[in-house]
Amino acid sequence: GCPSAAPDCASTPAPAVSVVIPVYNEEESVDLLCEKLHASLSRLGRSYEILLVDDGSSDRTWELLVANTRKIPHLRALRFRRNFGQTAAMSAGFHAARGDVVVTLDADLQNDPADIPKLLERIDAGFDVVSGWRKDRKDTFINRRLPSIIANGLISKMTGVALHDYGCTLKAYRREVIQNVHLYGEMHRFIPALASWVGGRIDEVVVTHHARQFGKSKYGISRTFRVVLDLLTVKFLLHYSTRPIQVFGRIGLACGAVAALMLGALLVDRVFLLADPHLLKRPFWVITPLMMMAFCMQFISMGLLAEMQIRTYHESQQKPIYVIRETAESPGA
């Protein structure tokens, strides 16, 4: 069916490829981005559409997007009422996309649209998700590349899907892989792991990475911490979402084992009078470890239960995580 963002799409056949790009305060790069996309996609030899999602930009980004819809074919632009974040923008693009293959990339021109055919070749070879690898990354080491190296190692280890560069936005997905994926937080980067969980075939190709030409990065080192928290959620969803007793039970058994050891030590001390004064007369030794374990269990449980609850809230009501303000598109797009 037609996505709600494009009510007139029934009159045009669905394209083979949809390119989805979140855009936020990129007025300096928008025109060049649209030109490069048109140059690359027009040589594909297959039908395509370009979806640019303005994530509540405060500069002239939307005006420039609208202007480009008048001169660049197959271009559609969506505008949020406020800034909802990259994952929400990606989700809006996925919902509006009509292509059999959906390609994503960043709007800052650090990803090269000329690499899109590389990803499509691997999709044609039978893979369901093809991820770009910025092997020669043009970013600063301390605040960009080092956190990325650490995050990629953690994600690969915890999800069991080894990729060099989870953070690279340049990816290609088969439509059936992402059409039922619900995204929250920073979850868009974990789609390869989620796809693998349902049997998808994952591949990775080296792509070009350019130094940033305009403006400054929207992402800082603080984003790494949010990614780590989302990684814990993904780990839970991948392995324990249908059997939560496994994770909660293990924590409970571990705490029970510690409690049993402590009680045993107290009993031995009480019977054989090993300590002077007795351990039972030392409140800090007895109470503090128990309290810390209780706090740990309580906060982990609350976090995971809240995550499950918010997913139920969104998915049971089909409640979107974004609100579109207006749309614009090329004639016949």
Side-chain angles (χ1 to χ4, degrees), residues 11-329:
S11 60
T12 58
V17 179
S18 296
V19 178
V20 172
I21 307 173
V23 185
Y24 179 62
N25 288 347
E26 295 285 358
E27 62 180 1
E28 295 173 301
S29 62
V30 161
D31 288 341
L32 185 56
L33 171 68
C34 291
E35 289 175 15
K36 286 181 174 287
L37 285 166
H38 176 58
S40 176
L41 295 171
S42 61
R43 295 193 295 263
L44 279 180
R46 61 183 92 186
S47 58
Y48 67 89
E49 67 177 351
I50 303 168
L51 286 160
L52 294 166
V53 183
D54 182 358
D55 187 19
S57 296
S58 57
D59 60 6
R60 295 179 57 248
T61 294
W62 177 249
E63 298 172 34
L64 296 172
L65 289 177
V66 172
N68 274 281
T69 62
R70 302 190 185 108
K71 61 184 180 181
I72 302 293
H74 315 300
L75 175 63
R76 295 159 58 200
L78 288 69
R79 187 186 189 188
F80 284 174
R81 288 193 173 273
R82 65 169 177 83
N83 178 245
F84 286 91
Q86 186 182 16
T87 295
M90 201 85 76
S91 182
F94 288 161
H95 291 158
R98 297 179 289 132
D100 295 327
V101 177
V102 180
V103 177
T104 60
L105 69 154
D106 283 328
D108 56 14
L109 293 173
Q110 289 193 268
N111 294 144
D112 195 334
D115 285 328
I116 292 175
K118 287 185 186 179
L119 277 64
L120 296 178
E121 284 179 11
R122 302 308 295 159
I123 291 287
D124 292 340
F127 291 95
D128 300 297
V129 177
V130 181
S131 180
W133 172 17
R134 298 165 293 182
K135 191 173 183 179
D136 185 20
R137 187 172 176 179
K138 308 296 184 183
D139 281 325
T140 55
F141 181 76
I142 295 297
N143 65 332
R144 297 299 302 279
R145 285 159 51 202
L146 179 60
S148 179
I149 291 170
I150 296 171
N152 288 322
L154 282 173
I155 297 170
S156 296
K157 181 71 173 177
M158 292 187 69
T159 63
V161 180
L163 291 177
H164 291 91
D165 195 357
Y166 269 91
C168 181
T169 305
L170 182 54
K171 291 182 172 70
Y173 311 92
R174 288 190 188 276
R175 181 178 180 81
E176 57 266 27
V177 170
I178 61 167
Q179 63 184 357
N180 294 317
V181 173
H182 299 274
L183 302 176
Y184 312 99
E186 299 285 337
M187 290 295 188
H188 65 274
R189 71 183 60 248
F190 301 116
I191 294 178
L194 297 171
S196 176
W197 182 47
V198 296
R201 297 182 63 198
I202 316 299
D203 194 24
E204 189 173 36
V205 296
V206 175
V207 296
T208 305
H209 190 248
H210 300 289
R212 189 175 180 90
Q213 300 179 51
F214 309 106
K216 60 181 182 179
S217 174
K218 314 298 189 302
Y219 313 123
I221 197 167
S222 62
R223 194 183 194 205
T224 303
F225 297 108
R226 300 199 300 272
V227 169
V228 170
L229 293 176
D230 280 331
L231 175 59
L232 295 176
T233 301
V234 169
K235 176 68 174 178
F236 177 76
L237 291 173
L238 289 180
H239 298 282
Y240 302 110
S241 60
T242 58
R243 48 195 180 103
I245 190 61
Q246 293 293 323
V247 63
F248 291 117
R250 289 177 184 179
I251 294 173
L253 289 174
C255 292
V258 172
L261 289 174
M262 294 180 70
L263 288 172
L266 291 172
L267 179 62
V268 170
D269 173 66
R270 182 69 175 170
V271 172
F272 295 101
L273 307 176
L274 298 178
D276 186 24
H278 302 312
L279 294 181
L280 283 172
K281 297 180 180 179
R282 299 176 180 177
F284 178 85
W285 192 91
V286 176
I287 296 174
T288 303
L290 294 175
M291 288 183 61
M292 294 304 295
M293 284 191 294
F295 288 153
C296 180
M297 289 182 63
Q298 185 179 30
F299 282 111
I300 291 176
S301 299
M302 284 194 301
L304 294 174
L305 290 173
E307 182 70 29
M308 296 177 71
Q309 186 176 27
I310 198 66
R311 285 169 180 274
T312 301
Y313 170 71
H314 280 288
E315 295 175 19
S316 64
Q317 301 184 48
Q318 293 296 306
K319 187 177 180 64
I321 57 173
Y322 56 85
V323 181
I324 293 173
R325 179 176 179 178
E326 55 187 311
T327 65
E329 60 185 63

